[in-house]
Amino acid sequence: MLSAMAIRPRYILTLRCPDQVGIVAAVTSLTASFDGWIVEAAQHADRDTGLFFMRQEILVESVPFGIEELRERFAPIAERFDMTWKLRDPATPHRVMLFCSKQDHCIADLLHRWKTGDLKFDLCGVVSNHDDLRSLTEYYGAPYHHVPVPKDAEGKAAAFAESERLCAEADAETIVLARYMQIMPPALCEQYDGRMINIHHSFLPSFIGAKPYHQAYERGVKLIGATCHYVTEELDAGPIIEQDVIRVNHAHDPDEMVRRGRDVERLVLTAGVRAHLEDRVMRYGNKTVVFA
């Protein structure tokens, strides 16, 4: 059972800036100036890039004014240290559109966690290039949009334009590809840069592209895994959010690897989506800082 502290509303502050002396003191001094209560804090300094990252959670009840005034008070500090920053109220959840194809293990897990409140987000709906998972989606009370994706270039372009329209119409902030077996067009990748999440069924950078379990079988690996990452134009090469592995051996054929890998995929995707929704992921270049 969650403690009273765990369920009290909080503001989430995240920031990135050039590393230098005085950042932590300036940020915490501001909070202390109005007797604000920081209930969770994490920071990281990256020596290779000279960047500093911070995430704080501040009890809403300890702030004697609204979030807009808090932003105004923080702005001079952000300017002083050349920060890229965000202050968010989780009481307004992320708006998420889920994409899937025929396989149901990842989408079913996300829908269940959304319905039970384990993952807190506003579900805009589900987009799929097949109609197979309509009944599953509608069982959870979510809108289902069947958008077939033809093989020809003109048909693909029209299909992705329709998917983009659905996301815009629903005001989706984040797209989650829950085993959506299509390569996303560059324009959509750019539009949702840092806001489109994919699950790939291998331990990247090994075995990119199609049929990674078959590639793993041919290579004779003893570990297979899954990778949750942000989508970029380069296939399966975006910044990694979460990964995990499971052991296999010489007796496991590709079908058994697929079966064993499904559990890893759904758990890794859930962990990656949760970290994104809770503003625990900070991207820089093609890497991420993920605060636990």
Side-chain angles (χ1 to χ4, degrees):
M1 188 173 183
L2 291 176
S3 68
M5 179 64 74
I7 60 176
R8 289 157 76 177
R10 309 170 181 199
Y11 294 137
I12 299 176
L13 171 68
T14 54
L15 64 89
R16 181 189 72 190
C17 64
D19 193 15
Q20 55 194 292
V21 173
I23 301 170
V24 176
V27 174
T28 54
S29 293
L30 171 65
T31 308
S33 70
F34 53 80
D35 292 329
W37 191 353
I38 298 171
V39 293
E40 185 175 323
Q43 61 196 54
H44 171 69
D46 186 85
R47 289 185 295 178
D48 293 335
T49 61
L51 290 174
F52 178 82
F53 304 85
M54 177 184 281
R55 180 185 184 276
Q56 289 189 349
E57 295 189 5
I58 305 165
L59 273 186
V60 171
E61 66 192 62
S62 72
V63 182
F65 39 77
I67 192 170
E68 288 303 327
E69 183 172 340
L70 183 54
R71 290 188 179 114
E72 290 174 7
R73 294 193 183 200
F74 187 77
I77 296 173
E79 184 176 0
R80 172 185 166 192
F81 291 99
D82 192 23
M83 294 176 179
T84 299
W85 63 286
K86 179 172 64 173
L87 180 65
R88 194 176 73 83
D89 184 354
T92 303
H94 289 263
R95 294 184 56 78
V96 177
M97 185 73 85
L98 304 177
F99 281 59
C100 63
S101 288
K102 290 184 175 182
Q103 296 195 41
D104 63 0
H105 56 290
C106 285
I107 190 74
D109 190 62
L110 291 175
L111 287 171
H112 176 73
R113 293 177 187 274
W114 163 71
K115 192 70 172 181
T116 60
D118 180 52
L119 282 178
K120 300 187 184 304
F121 60 90
D122 284 342
L123 179 57
C124 300
V126 174
V127 175
S128 180
N129 56 326
H130 298 282
D131 212 30
D132 299 55
L133 302 181
R134 177 183 294 277
S135 59
L136 170 68
T137 301
E138 292 178 347
Y139 168 79
Y140 283 101
Y144 191 84
H145 308 283
H146 179 209
V147 183
V149 180
K151 293 184 178 181
D152 63 284
E154 185 176 349
K156 278 181 181 286
F160 283 121
E162 173 62 8
S163 296
E164 182 178 348
R165 184 194 69 78
L166 289 168
C167 290
E169 187 178 76
D171 194 25
E173 301 170 80
T174 299
I175 291 174
V176 177
L177 309 180
R179 293 302 303 271
Y180 182 64
M181 310 304 289
Q182 296 290 324
I183 298 175
M184 306 304 284
L188 202 57
C189 293
E190 182 177 353
Q191 181 181 348
Y192 283 89
D193 184 43
R195 297 184 295 130
M196 187 186 301
I197 298 171
N198 182 50
I199 182 68
H200 183 70
H201 40 309
S202 80
F203 195 79
L204 293 174
S206 299
F207 312 129
I208 65 172
K211 295 190 173 182
Y213 289 124
H214 292 75
Q215 295 180 54
Y217 173 75
E218 292 298 330
R219 184 62 182 83
V221 301
K222 306 309 178 190
L223 292 170
I224 57 172
T227 303
C228 179
H229 65 94
Y230 288 119
V231 177
T232 60
E233 291 185 37
E234 186 177 354
L235 180 65
D236 297 332
I240 292 171
I241 306 170
E242 179 64 43
Q243 292 182 293
D244 203 355
V245 295
I246 188 171
R247 296 199 66 84
V248 293
N249 62 43
H250 58 276
H252 296 141
D253 63 14
D255 289 341
E256 177 62 14
M257 288 184 177
V258 169
R259 187 190 70 79
R260 293 172 66 84
R262 286 189 184 121
D263 282 346
V264 183
E265 292 167 34
R266 62 181 181 81
L267 292 174
V268 167
L269 180 57
T270 292
V273 170
R274 188 187 304 279
H276 175 84
L277 295 176
E278 294 180 356
D279 299 287
R280 296 185 180 277
V281 187
M282 304 191 70
R283 175 180 171 180
Y284 63 114
N286 204 45
K287 298 173 69 176
T288 60
V289 170
V290 184
F291 289 120

